[in-house]
Amino acid sequence: MATTLVSVNGPSLLQRAEECLSQQLTARRKLTGRAFYESLGSPKIILAPMVDQSEFAWRMLTRSFIPPQSSRTLLAYTPMIHSRLFSETVKFRNNNFQPTRSGLPSTPDPAAMASDVYLDGNPSIDRPLFVQFCANDPDELLAAAKYVQPYCDAVDLNLGCPQGIARKGHYGAFLQEDWRLIYELINKLHKNLNVPVTAKIRILETREKTLEYAKVILSAGASVVTVHGRHRDQKGHKTGIADWSMLRYLRENLPPDTVLFANGNILQHEDIEKCLQETGVDGVMSAEGNLYDPAIFAKPPPIGSEGREYWRGQDGKGGYRMDAVFRRYMDIIYQYVLEKPLPQRGPLFLPSDSLAEVASPSNDKMDEEVEPQRPVKRQKCDNSESGPRAYIHGSAVENQHPTNDEKRNSKIPKTTSPNLLSMQAHLFHLLRPLVAQHTNVRDALARSRPGNIAAFENVLSLVELAVKEGLLDYESNPAKYKEPDLIEPTILAATKQRQSTGGDYDIGMAKLEESSSLAKVRACKRPWWVCQPYVRPLPEEALQNGSLTLSKKEKRRMEMEAVLHREEETLVDLGGREFKKEED
């Protein structure tokens, strides 16, 4: 098979787990700051903490693209966990963090933990790992952190969440005005845990205030500070561009041994090195970019070594195929979460294959063309597992709503596994361009319920057919997939408007790239069957197309900023004229 997964099997697993866990409880606690960071292998690439989205299976999918010999170059975070609920509720605790099969013991025993090792923080496959909590009470945070410290490399405090739920719960970025509480939260962990404490923040109004804020966090005992280069109100359509210059300022003004991670603007692999160079940080974190392309941290294979998983076009641009990544994801679910044998799968389709190598009886039926005016009888497919009925109809397998009898006879039990609960959301991110082209895939995925593996297998079969169709279409008409056909319609419309006013096309495009997301779209865009980031429109573009509206207060602020900007330009212009007079 083309899929390569990290194996947990081996005669030394128990010994390795015992050794790692013993080190976690003894030697590791003596290391902080840069010494701690170097003990992890000085990872440069970091998978961000994402609410309900950076769970074990997704971390394993991301790690699967990193060569085994380089596995420690990738540091991953758990999803953000609510500290009070985690410390008080056994069910919540066991549903959100599963390092052992028997649940989290109140008194850790290294030998017992090693023999019972399961998913989160597994020392053989899921390290380095930081566990992130949100909190506003030092004692609750410490109680929660003590449960997880034997199974992770550090505990992180979320000070960056900008969502409404964080405002309501008074945590995340809505603590950033209360520096005393932040100090107490971090210092409590620093003094009482056997593992280091880290923190993730957002930038404040000015460079000087952000620097002072970071110094408070370091003085409290944080070993690593991750800085998201956006303000608290930069979210949704207001997300905009992260300020890397702020990261560079912090790098140059904080103590040299400070371990600093950057977050923001990482949409493709090339952005990682660019960020390292421009900011001088130690590591680069990706969140949304990873959701749309879990291979974002991996270097593309050399030309000629693409295999079946990676696609490269005639222009040299490429990426991992969606059906290949989907297969990897499903295989990880089978191997680690369900602990079932992997399904027997045929090779992924390549246009260079002969029909005999890739065709099967079921595929032949699915590929048959149907006369437009002739009704086709739906034939029920054989499902080995319970789930919605699948029918052959034309050129695709369609999930139909089951009858009431089928609902009663094939009810899928509710699951509490975070790895199964997150599957649908992950796949909508991963397949975003594809489901826009193939609504049958979108509809089948929308009907797939957590734990119904047969339904997700059906979606996979639909995706494989769609990718096959796309590959064949590209082979027959590659010009169809060249720019400007790949550019977003709203951005193209703005380009045409600029051109219609009499401006030169190339000059107009260059000016448009300066003031829009066009340059990034052009760099990231791939055919719809290839994993690729979603490039958010800039706030100005969102205002123009009506997806963002401003309040009266925001409109007044923008008007004031525009007036100040014009005044500054006038002063600069006058200064230049005075300088020219002096020269004369």
Side-chain angles (χ1 to χ4, degrees):
M1 292 178 57
T3 300
T4 303
L5 299 175
V6 182
S7 175
V8 298
N9 298 321
S12 62
L13 175 60
L14 182 60
Q15 293 87 340
R16 288 173 62 194
E18 286 178 346
E19 180 183 350
C20 290
L21 289 166
S22 296
Q23 289 175 354
Q24 186 75 53
L25 295 174
T26 54
R28 179 63 56 78
R29 65 185 174 187
K30 300 176 184 178
L31 299 178
T32 57
R34 186 155 297 276
F36 161 67
Y37 174 65
E38 291 173 350
S39 75
L40 298 178
S42 301
K44 297 290 184 186
I45 47 179
I46 300 109
L47 173 57
M50 296 175 282
V51 177
D52 298 331
Q53 296 285 272
S54 58
E55 77 291 344
F56 171 84
W58 193 257
R59 295 195 301 269
M60 287 301 298
L61 177 62
T62 302
R63 294 185 193 275
S64 74
F65 292 98
I66 306 299
Q69 66 272 18
S70 304
S71 61
R72 294 189 70 80
T73 61
L74 172 63
L75 163 65
Y77 284 65
T78 67
M80 182 189 75
I81 304 172
H82 195 290
S83 62
R84 180 180 60 80
L85 295 176
F86 192 85
S87 62
E88 293 178 354
T89 312
V90 174
K91 184 177 180 181
F92 182 87
R93 196 157 56 236
N94 291 334
N95 287 347
N96 284 274
F97 195 69
Q98 301 172 332
T100 64
R101 299 175 192 281
S102 55
L104 285 165
S106 55
T107 305
D109 176 2
M113 289 186 293
S115 61
D116 195 28
V117 69
Y118 187 35
L119 300 178
D120 296 297
N122 186 314
S124 298
I125 55 175
D126 192 27
R127 295 295 183 89
L129 178 70
F130 289 5
V131 177
Q132 188 187 72
F133 288 103
C134 65
N136 55 28
D137 182 284
D139 292 326
E140 290 175 352
L141 176 59
L142 178 62
K146 282 186 173 179
Y147 279 104
V148 304
Q149 68 174 344
Y151 313 99
C152 65
D153 297 284
V155 172
D156 185 76
L157 175 63
N158 183 316
L159 297 171
C161 181
Q163 303 304 324
I165 191 171
R167 179 194 291 273
K168 185 177 180 181
H170 190 54
Y171 59 79
F174 297 95
L175 295 182
Q176 67 187 27
E177 286 82 17
D178 194 344
W179 290 6
R180 175 174 292 183
L181 175 57
I182 289 173
Y183 182 94
E184 291 172 355
L185 289 165
I186 295 173
N187 195 247
K188 189 83 170 183
L189 298 190
H190 175 58
K191 290 182 175 179
N192 294 280
L193 289 184
N194 295 329
V195 296
V197 57
T198 66
K200 185 172 185 288
I201 67 173
R202 285 188 170 232
I203 60 175
L204 303 184
E205 297 83 11
T206 65
R207 292 182 171 191
E208 294 75 19
K209 195 169 183 180
T210 304
L211 176 62
E212 189 180 354
Y213 182 32
K215 287 180 176 178
V216 169
I217 288 170
L218 289 169
S219 68
S223 288
V224 179
V225 179
T226 300
V227 181
H228 188 156
R230 293 184 174 94
H231 299 284
R232 183 170 59 195
D233 63 345
Q234 287 184 270
K235 58 184 178 179
H237 291 302
K238 298 180 185 177
T239 296
I241 304 297
D243 186 357
W244 282 359
S245 68
M246 185 75 80
L247 274 295
R248 169 58 72 175
Y249 177 80
L250 294 176
R251 173 79 287 168
E252 292 174 349
N253 289 276
L254 288 171
D257 62 344
T258 301
V259 182
L260 203 60
F261 294 162
N263 182 208
N265 298 351
I266 308 301
L267 296 180
Q268 56 183 21
H269 183 75
E270 292 78 6
D271 294 331
I272 297 172
E273 185 59 33
K274 184 179 178 183
C275 182
L276 288 169
Q277 294 297 323
E278 291 192 19
T279 63
V281 296
D282 296 282
V284 176
M285 176 181 285
S286 177
E288 195 170 67
N290 169 264
L291 289 179
Y292 291 98
D293 182 7
I296 189 172
F297 298 116
K299 294 180 180 179
I303 295 175
S305 304
E306 292 84 0
R308 293 179 182 269
E309 290 192 311
Y310 193 91
W311 178 89
R312 184 174 271 117
Q314 294 179 3
D315 59 359
K317 294 182 179 180
Y320 279 88
R321 292 167 43 168
M322 291 179 181
D323 55 348
V325 177
F326 196 165
R327 276 195 182 189
R328 283 199 185 208
Y329 185 36
M330 290 298 293
D331 286 353
I332 285 167
I333 294 293
Y334 280 112
Q335 182 174 353
Y336 297 109
V337 180
L338 302 177
E339 297 183 293
K340 291 183 177 181
L342 305 186
Q344 293 295 318
R345 307 188 193 278
L348 292 167
F349 172 78
L350 285 178
S352 58
D353 292 334
S354 68
L355 291 176
E357 290 174 319
V358 297
S360 65
S362 59
N363 283 340
D364 288 340
K365 290 181 181 179
M366 285 186 276
D367 291 338
E368 287 176 359
E369 293 187 3
V370 182
E371 295 179 17
Q373 304 300 325
R374 183 180 176 183
V376 179
K377 184 178 180 181
R378 290 173 175 166
Q379 304 171 10
K380 187 175 178 182
C381 294
D382 181 28
N383 282 329
S384 58
E385 295 186 56
S386 59
R389 290 182 299 172
Y391 294 91
I392 296 171
H393 185 209
S395 60
V397 177
E398 300 177 352
N399 262 353
Q400 302 297 319
H401 292 291
T403 65
N404 290 333
D405 287 339
E406 285 176 325
K407 286 181 180 179
R408 284 190 293 270
N409 296 331
S410 61
K411 204 168 185 180
I412 303 298
K414 278 191 174 182
T415 180
T416 58
S417 169
N419 299 289
L420 300 180
L421 291 170
S422 300
M423 288 180 68
Q424 186 188 64
H426 276 310
L427 291 170
F428 268 119
H429 279 114
L430 180 72
L431 304 174
R432 187 177 187 274
L434 187 147
V435 298
Q437 297 276 340
H438 293 265
T439 56
N440 64 322
V441 179
R442 179 200 64 197
D443 296 342
L445 181 55
R447 290 193 293 269
S448 300
R449 295 293 174 259
N452 190 345
I453 301 302
F456 287 104
E457 281 288 344
N458 180 61
V459 177
L460 174 58
S461 69
L462 293 172
V463 170
E464 290 178 349
L465 285 170
V467 173
K468 177 181 178 180
E469 173 191 310
L471 292 171
L472 291 172
D473 190 44
Y474 182 88
E475 289 296 313
S476 63
N477 187 13
K480 176 180 175 182
Y481 294 89
K482 291 181 180 179
E483 295 180 4
D485 298 312
L486 294 180
I487 304 299
E488 295 287 350
T490 54
I491 297 176
L492 264 184
T495 307
K496 291 177 180 177
Q497 182 180 4
R498 188 182 295 269
Q499 190 180 8
S500 67
T501 60
D504 178 81
Y505 179 79
D506 292 332
I507 295 175
M509 288 291 286
K511 289 182 178 179
L512 183 62
E513 287 185 3
E514 292 176 3
S515 60
S516 75
S517 57
L518 179 59
K520 201 62 182 178
V521 171
R522 292 175 67 146
C524 296
K525 200 69 178 175
R526 302 289 186 270
W528 50 261
W529 62 84
V530 177
C531 294
Q532 57 196 277
Y534 167 53
V535 181
R536 292 180 179 274
L538 295 177
E540 297 82 2
E541 295 170 326
L543 276 171
Q544 187 177 359
N545 64 32
S547 57
L548 173 64
T549 56
L550 298 178
S551 65
K552 292 181 179 179
K553 183 178 179 181
E554 290 171 326
K555 287 179 181 178
R556 284 196 299 270
R557 179 176 60 80
M558 288 188 69
E559 288 170 359
M560 289 297 296
E561 288 177 353
V563 170
L564 289 172
H565 182 66
R566 285 196 297 270
E567 289 177 352
E568 288 175 358
E569 287 184 335
T570 302
L571 289 172
V572 170
D573 185 48
L574 290 173
R577 290 178 185 175
E578 292 296 327
F579 181 72
K580 188 174 181 181
K581 285 180 181 179
E582 289 179 7
E583 281 187 334
D584 294 341

